[in-house]
């Protein structure tokens, strides 16, 4: 090959390589741009889904909070009502309007063998409690009732939260 034939061929090969290089660059840039668009779309979709999920959870939290507050108000009302009733009962016991008594055995530690007679005996001997003892017994019973109301409120609150958030329990 002579120099005159070699140069145009080399120039042609160089131009083809340069054109191929440029086209490959354009394809690479187009692929990168497509990946960036897909990443931006995914990021936007994820942000939208996160915002929607957050809004759902906040709505559930507000509803659960309102229901728990309502349950707490109901418990407070129940406790106030029970305290009023206990105070009224204690006032009636102190004034003598209400008398408390307990059954006593008619003999010294006599065991009753006939339960039908014992159950049917309406005029059984009874011992009246003094007002202080009656008030102490009522306070014990009232404390137990208050504890039961509080525990029931806790159970209700637990069930409310479990049902609100659809928690699976074992």
């Amino acid at each position: 090959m002579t120099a005159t034939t070699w140069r145009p061929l080399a120039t042609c090969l160089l131009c083809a390589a340069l054109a191929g290089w440029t086209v490959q660059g354009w394809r690479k840039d187009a692929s990168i741009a497509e990946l960036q668009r897909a990443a931006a779309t995914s990021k936007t979709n994820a942000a939208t889904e996160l915002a929607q999920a957050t809004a759902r959870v906040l709505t559930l939290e507000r509803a659960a909070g309102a229901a728990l507050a309502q349950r707490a108000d109901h418990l407070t009302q129940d406790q106030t009502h029970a305290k009023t009733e206990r105070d009224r009962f204690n006032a009636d016991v102190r004034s003598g309007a209400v008398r408390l008594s307990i059954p006593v055995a008619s003999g010294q530690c006599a065991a009753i063998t006939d339960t039908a007679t014992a159950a049917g005996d309406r005029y059984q001997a009874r011992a009246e409690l003094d007002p202080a003892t009656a008030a102490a017994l009522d306070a014990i019973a009232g404390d137990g009732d208050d504890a039961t109301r509080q525990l029931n409120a806790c159970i209700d609150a637990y069930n409310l939260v479990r049902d609100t958030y659809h928690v699976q329990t074992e």
Side-chain angles (χ1 to χ4, degrees), residues 71 75 78-79 81-83 85-86 137-153:
R71 181 63 192 128
L75 174 63
D78 284 351
Q79 287 176 323
H81 177 69
K83 184 178 180 335
E85 290 297 315
R86 273 197 313 269
L137 289 174
D138 184 58
I140 292 169
D143 289 346
D145 289 345
D146 286 343
T148 301
R149 273 190 292 282
Q150 290 172 354
L151 288 174
N152 285 336

Side-chain angles (χ1 to χ4, degrees), residues 103-112 121 124-125:
V104 294
S106 57
Q108 292 181 336
C109 298
I112 301 175
D121 187 9
Q124 183 179 19

